[in-house]
Amino acid sequence: MSWQENYAVWQKQPTMLPDVRRELDAMAGDNQALEAAFSAPMSFGTAGMRGVMGPGIGQMNVYTVRQATEGVARYLDTLDDATKQRGVAISFDSRYHSTEFAHEAARVLGAHQIPSFVFDDLRPTPELSFAVRHLHTAMGIMITASHNPKQYNGYKIYGPDGGQMPPKASDMITKFVRSATDVFAIQVADEQALRQAKLLHIIGEDVDQPYLQNVTSVTINHDLISKVGKTMKLIYTPLHGTGKVIGERALRKAGFENFTMVPQQAIADPEFPTVDFPNPEFPEAFDMAIALGKQEGADLLVATDPDADRLGAAVRQPDGEYQLLTGNQIASILLAYILKARKAAGDLPVDGRVVKSIVSTELATKIAAAYGVEMKNVLTGFKFIAEQIHQYETNHDHTFLFGFEESYGYLIKPFVRDKDAIQSTVLLAEVAADYKQRGMTLYDGIEELYATYGYYAEKTTFEEFQGVDGSAQRAKLMSEFRENAPHDFAGTGIDAVEDFQTSVKTAADGTTTAIDLPQSNVLKYWLHDGTWICIRPSGTEPKVKFYIGTSDQTAAAANQRLSKYEQALKAYVASIN
């Protein structure tokens, strides 16, 4: 159907909810907005769905949430009754409509006689992952758009291990979602009737307490925290999101007492009024924390995104200014501390393994190797790290020590199976305390790592493709890289190309080896000087992302090399666009 036909179907609905009707009426005459909203259904994949809120088959609204949940329910209907009756845990963030979407999901599940366990208020994504495991539910649903701007919302699905749904199950759910073509015919149960029938349960503190108790296992040196952690000054901002519910409690329970939350950003506000982008990757997200940090002389600033799965940090320098750390730097210093502390305590397992995404820093690989620990590389998406943890526990062949992605996501202990900024906040505070007792900062610690292992520099850039043609444009760009393959970057030859779509690694001499990872539309180039360049379409945003990682003997040389390849990559993309 054309967008005009889809729009006409929505216009004619006599029982449309009043709020949606008002928004739909307001779009009348705006053909560009109508085309974007009604041309194609929302993409639903292994990461669920995410998009701008508003009426239409291509936006986040009550009806597309019902459609997604109908797909989940139909999938659960194919399983045995005992599994189905384990139900679904549901959480949500501080965004507009998040509470409504969570309860609508429960009503659709209830119409299929599937129990749901809905949090009484907003909670972080990692706590939803924990809740799935703690309550032994069959699945989990998280209503969140993570770090996207305020216009967005999203719907993430989790499997019984607490990790995001693996591709096979997700593909089945996607087919069921697509089969629910009439979004207005999806049955929803009355919420009060579901409560009385014990098909909808409200959860909260009964999950908070065991989650927080597990978080206490993340810290390693309790004597250090009792000596230094009580006096070290920390500023924490949840950026108007879910971290405010649990982050403060986690820090206090771990023994950190001298911290302050940024008061204006400790308000769960869907407008995100103090930031354009509630993303700890962006320097401007730290503006208020830096101002408060200077006022209070804070050693460490920590920010978590609205669903508290990503963490960013900044540390005070001798001149009183604050230096932001990259996700790769935070991961590297956390890893180095974990391995050093566990070796000192005599409990570093011989079968230990660290897991990272293929676009994350190779500094971590060097650190792990120095402690005799193996590094496992997986595709981007924390579900792939969760899969590795599940395999290790099933096969008893490795012990998980740490997992991370360069995009500010880290997991220390696997009682959660997604990136967890609450765990990371607590451990990073301990690492900062460790350096403080040595008269150093976290940034000094990063420099210490560079002096030991070499200076590493990484950067992520992107090309954005909005609108109804965005998906086709992204596909075309990836095709151009394959059909008109570069022979070098900035004059440096390519040693090997990894094409994860064909699962083949091709060396410069033409020899090939198989890539033992799931197929994905990703290309990675390894250059003569050890630099790597990776290209992949984002799974959650209308972007193609470009990653560069390099190293050298000095920071200046590494950054100069990084800049050279960034310019060469931009020039190549411009030439094929």
Side-chain angles (χ1 to χ4, degrees):
M1 293 173 67
S2 67
W3 72 260
Q4 293 94 336
E5 290 170 317
N6 286 323
Y7 175 43
V9 169
W10 278 58
Q11 278 186 307
K12 294 173 183 176
Q13 288 303 316
T15 59
M16 183 175 288
L17 293 168
D19 287 350
V20 182
R21 172 64 67 187
R22 280 193 294 272
E23 291 179 351
L24 185 66
D25 290 345
M27 295 170 69
D30 187 345
N31 285 354
Q32 185 176 359
L34 290 170
E35 184 178 5
F38 289 97
S39 288
M42 293 192 71
S43 174
F44 193 98
T46 56
M49 63 183 186
R50 189 182 302 182
V52 173
M53 288 178 278
I57 62 174
Q59 301 194 115
M60 286 290 299
N61 54 69
V62 165
Y63 297 105
T64 50
V65 166
R66 286 179 180 177
Q67 182 185 36
T69 312
E70 179 69 15
V72 168
R74 291 183 186 184
Y75 166 75
L76 290 171
D77 282 342
T78 68
L79 307 180
D80 63 273
D81 193 59
T83 300
K84 175 179 170 179
Q85 290 307 310
R86 284 160 54 188
V88 179
I90 304 175
S91 186
F92 52 93
D93 68 7
S94 57
R95 293 174 181 274
Y96 285 116
H97 301 297
S98 284
T99 306
E100 177 187 8
F101 291 167
H103 285 262
E104 284 296 318
R107 293 177 68 203
V108 173
L109 293 169
H112 286 256
Q113 300 297 298
I114 298 169
S116 59
F117 301 83
V118 185
F119 274 99
D120 59 355
D121 203 348
L122 64 159
R123 291 297 194 286
T125 289
E127 189 173 356
L128 181 277
S129 172
F130 174 80
V132 170
R133 297 175 57 79
H134 180 68
L135 300 174
H136 306 289
T137 62
M139 283 186 62
I141 295 170
M142 181 71 198
I143 305 296
T144 181
S146 190
H147 55 286
N148 282 68
K150 66 181 181 181
Q151 301 93 334
Y152 286 77
N153 214 324
Y155 185 107
K156 295 168 72 173
I157 52 175
Y158 288 79
D161 69 335
Q164 289 185 42
M165 271 297 204
K168 184 177 179 181
S170 178
D171 288 346
M172 289 181 65
I173 292 172
T174 300
K175 290 178 181 178
F176 285 124
V177 172
R178 294 287 165 260
S179 69
T181 53
D182 187 351
V183 297
F184 299 102
I186 293 168
Q187 297 297 306
V188 292
D190 176 74
E191 187 162 335
Q192 186 174 352
L194 290 177
R195 293 299 309 278
Q196 292 172 350
K198 300 191 183 306
L199 283 170
L200 196 163
H201 308 270
I202 302 299
I203 57 175
E205 190 65 20
D206 54 336
V207 178
D208 293 343
Q209 288 194 21
Y211 171 75
L212 287 166
Q213 188 58 42
N214 274 272
V215 171
T216 62
S217 70
V218 168
T219 52
I220 299 171
N221 189 335
H222 303 291
D223 289 340
L224 167 69
I225 295 173
S226 64
K227 292 175 184 175
V228 183
K230 289 184 178 181
T231 57
M232 182 185 71
K233 185 62 182 177
L234 185 150
I235 301 294
Y236 171 56
T237 172
L239 296 178
H240 302 289
T242 61
K244 72 177 289 289
V245 179
I246 212 85
E248 179 180 12
R249 294 175 68 184
L251 282 165
R252 292 197 189 283
K253 198 171 181 66
F256 296 97
E257 299 177 0
N258 191 23
F259 69 89
T260 304
M261 295 182 76
V262 178
Q264 303 94 323
Q265 295 178 328
I267 300 167
D269 189 337
E271 278 292 312
F272 304 112
T274 65
V275 285
D276 291 329
F277 298 94
N279 187 345
E281 296 183 57
F282 294 173
E284 55 267 31
F286 279 87
D287 286 350
M288 297 191 83
I290 288 172
L292 184 59
K294 288 181 177 179
Q295 181 181 321
E296 299 197 2
D299 301 288
L300 173 66
L301 315 178
V302 173
T304 56
D305 68 341
D307 69 325
D309 62 352
R310 297 172 189 245
L311 171 145
V315 295
R316 188 176 55 168
Q317 300 291 69
D319 63 0
E321 296 300 315
Y322 286 89
Q323 173 68 47
L324 271 68
L325 305 182
T326 69
N328 282 316
Q329 289 174 332
I330 294 170
S332 297
I333 205 161
L334 287 173
L335 174 62
Y337 181 77
I338 290 168
L339 298 182
K340 179 182 177 181
R342 293 196 65 168
K343 183 177 181 180
D347 71 340
L348 183 62
V350 295
D351 62 353
R353 187 177 266 189
V354 178
V355 189
K356 73 174 183 69
S357 68
I358 59 172
V359 296
S360 298
T361 183
E362 288 301 312
L363 172 58
T365 305
K366 266 202 167 183
I367 294 169
Y371 287 88
V373 172
E374 185 180 352
M375 176 67 74
K376 174 67 177 178
N377 287 286
V378 297
L379 294 175
T380 300
F382 230 85
K383 58 182 172 288
F384 296 112
I385 295 176
E387 281 183 355
Q388 290 297 312
I389 299 170
H390 181 71
Q391 288 180 23
Y392 302 158
E393 292 182 347
T394 302
N395 300 331
H396 306 288
D397 55 351
H398 294 287
T399 299
F400 174 78
L401 294 175
F402 183 64
F404 76 96
E405 293 181 328
E406 50 76 41
S407 53
Y408 295 71
Y410 332 94
L411 179 64
I412 294 97
K413 289 293 184 74
F415 58 85
V416 165
R417 295 298 164 90
D418 205 349
K419 46 191 178 287
D420 188 343
I422 305 303
Q423 287 192 39
S424 307
T425 295
V426 170
L427 186 64
L428 189 66
E430 179 180 345
V431 179
D434 180 58
Y435 282 107
K436 185 176 178 62
Q437 75 167 351
R438 296 164 56 189
M440 301 168 66
T441 68
L442 278 176
Y443 197 76
D444 294 332
I446 295 290
E447 290 294 322
E448 191 175 64
L449 292 178
Y450 287 155
T452 304
Y453 300 106
Y455 285 81
Y456 283 73
E458 298 87 16
K459 189 165 187 179
T460 303
T461 60
F462 62 86
E463 287 277 322
E464 193 160 13
F465 301 93
Q466 295 280 4
V468 293
D469 297 327
S471 180
Q473 290 172 334
R474 282 181 285 159
K476 180 178 181 294
L477 181 61
M478 294 302 295
S479 294
E480 288 291 338
F481 264 95
R482 289 186 169 92
E483 294 168 9
N484 301 295
H487 300 291
D488 65 78
F489 287 97
T492 304
I494 299 170
D495 277 351
V497 180
E498 293 176 320
D499 190 337
F500 293 87
Q501 187 162 271
T502 60
S503 299
V504 174
K505 180 177 182 178
T506 305
D509 62 5
T511 58
T512 61
T513 54
I515 299 173
D516 186 23
L517 287 175
Q519 290 184 328
S520 184
N521 189 15
V522 180
L523 290 165
K524 189 171 185 178
Y525 303 88
W526 293 92
L527 309 188
H528 285 339
D529 61 4
T531 299
W532 58 266
I533 296 172
C534 191
I535 302 123
R536 59 176 283 271
S538 170
T540 56
E541 299 171 296
K543 299 175 180 178
V544 173
K545 292 191 170 183
F546 306 94
Y547 306 82
I548 305 172
T550 192
S551 63
D552 213 314
Q553 295 303 305
T554 67
N559 286 317
Q560 184 178 14
R561 182 179 286 180
L562 184 73
S563 178
K564 176 181 73 172
Y565 289 125
E566 182 185 2
Q567 295 306 313
L569 185 58
K570 282 183 179 178
Y572 185 79
V573 171
S575 73
I576 63 177
N577 257 344

